[in-house]
């Protein structure tokens, strides 16, 4: 089976909230909450200088996630512009028994990928995105997939990418 891949501003914007792993997001949020509580306690005992510093740290931790997601989208777009002279790169991913092969239409290059390196598969409204353990991503356009291809792809996720976490997002 061969499916269409795409990287452009629309696909990156839709998957950006999934670029950072849930574990990293949870760590940042919990840390921000702990620092916020600590800042409240410091304000209550009238240690204002340290309370302000801790509060700033809490805010930085909280907003850091959004900053990094946006930064990664901009970085990917910049790399695409520099490498290909365009803001959109198409290709294909072809699935075999033991691996998949990613083909880039701009360079005619191919890259074999073992299923075991896929750590997450995220489904959004318009895309399926496979994330590797190195946090690279392969974005597939759902609108170019038939119902049978979607079913076959999800079957491959279940049977070949068994260690990958499947996330159905918005």
């Amino acid at each position: 089976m061969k499916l269409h891949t795409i990287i452009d501003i629309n696909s990156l914007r839709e998957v950006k909230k999934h670029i950072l792993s849930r574990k990293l997001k949870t760590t940042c949020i919990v840390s921000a909450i702990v620092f916020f509580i600590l800042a409240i306690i410091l304000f209550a005992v009238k240690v204002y200088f340290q309370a302000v510093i801790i509060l700033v740290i809490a805010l930085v931790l909280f907003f850091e996630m959004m900053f990094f997601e946006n930064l990664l989208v901009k970085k990917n777009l910049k790399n695409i512009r520099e490498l290909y002279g365009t803001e959109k790169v198409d290709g294909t991913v072809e699935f075999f028994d033991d691996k998949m092969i990613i083909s880039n239409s701009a360079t005619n290059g191919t890259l074999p990928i073992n299923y075991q390196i896929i750590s997450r598969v995220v489904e959004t409204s318009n895309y399926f995105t496979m994330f590797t353990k190195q946090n690279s991503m392969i974005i597939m356009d759902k609108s170019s997939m038939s119902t049978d291809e979607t079913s076959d792809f999800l079957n491959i996720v279940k049977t070949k990418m068994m260690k990958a976490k499947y996330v159905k997002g918005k």
Side-chain angles (χ1 to χ4, degrees), residues 37-87:
I37 292 169
L38 181 59
I40 291 172
I41 292 168
L42 289 172
F43 275 118
V45 295
K46 300 180 181 178
V47 184
Y48 299 117
F49 181 72
Q50 288 87 348
V52 169
I53 291 173
I54 297 296
L55 185 60
V56 168
I57 291 171
L59 292 172
V60 167
L61 281 170
F62 184 75
F63 289 107
E64 183 177 35
M65 292 177 302
M66 290 180 280
F67 171 75
F68 278 124
E69 288 170 342
N70 288 325
L71 181 69
L72 290 170
V73 167
K74 288 177 184 177
K75 182 181 173 190
N76 276 306
L77 284 174
K78 181 182 175 195
N79 289 342
I80 290 168
R81 272 188 237 111
E82 289 175 358
L83 290 171
Y84 307 113
T86 182
E87 291 192 356

Side-chain angles (χ1 to χ4, degrees), residues 59-145:
L59 292 172
V60 167
L61 281 170
F62 184 75
F63 289 107
E64 183 177 35
M65 292 177 302
M66 290 180 280
F67 171 75
F68 278 124
E69 288 170 342
N70 288 325
L71 181 69
L72 290 170
V73 167
K74 288 177 184 177
K75 182 181 173 190
N76 276 306
L77 284 174
K78 181 182 175 195
N79 289 342
I80 290 168
R81 272 188 237 111
E82 289 175 358
L83 290 171
Y84 307 113
T86 182
E87 291 192 356
K88 178 180 177 182
V89 177
D90 292 291
T92 60
V93 58
E94 190 168 4
F95 297 92
F96 297 96
D97 286 337
D98 59 338
K99 65 184 173 203
M100 60 183 143
I101 297 181
I102 311 296
S103 300
N104 181 326
S105 62
T107 63
N108 293 323
T110 60
L111 177 65
I113 297 179
N114 291 323
Y115 293 117
Q116 293 80 16
I117 71 161
I118 302 298
S119 61
R120 283 183 296 146
V121 177
V122 175
E123 180 180 359
T124 60
S125 300
N126 300 301
Y127 305 98
F128 284 109
T129 306
M130 296 182 287
F131 289 91
T132 67
K133 292 177 182 175
Q134 296 80 21
N135 218 25
S136 294
M137 61 185 151
I138 302 141
I139 303 172
M140 294 169 294
D141 187 1
K142 287 170 60 175
S143 69
S144 68
M145 299 168 69

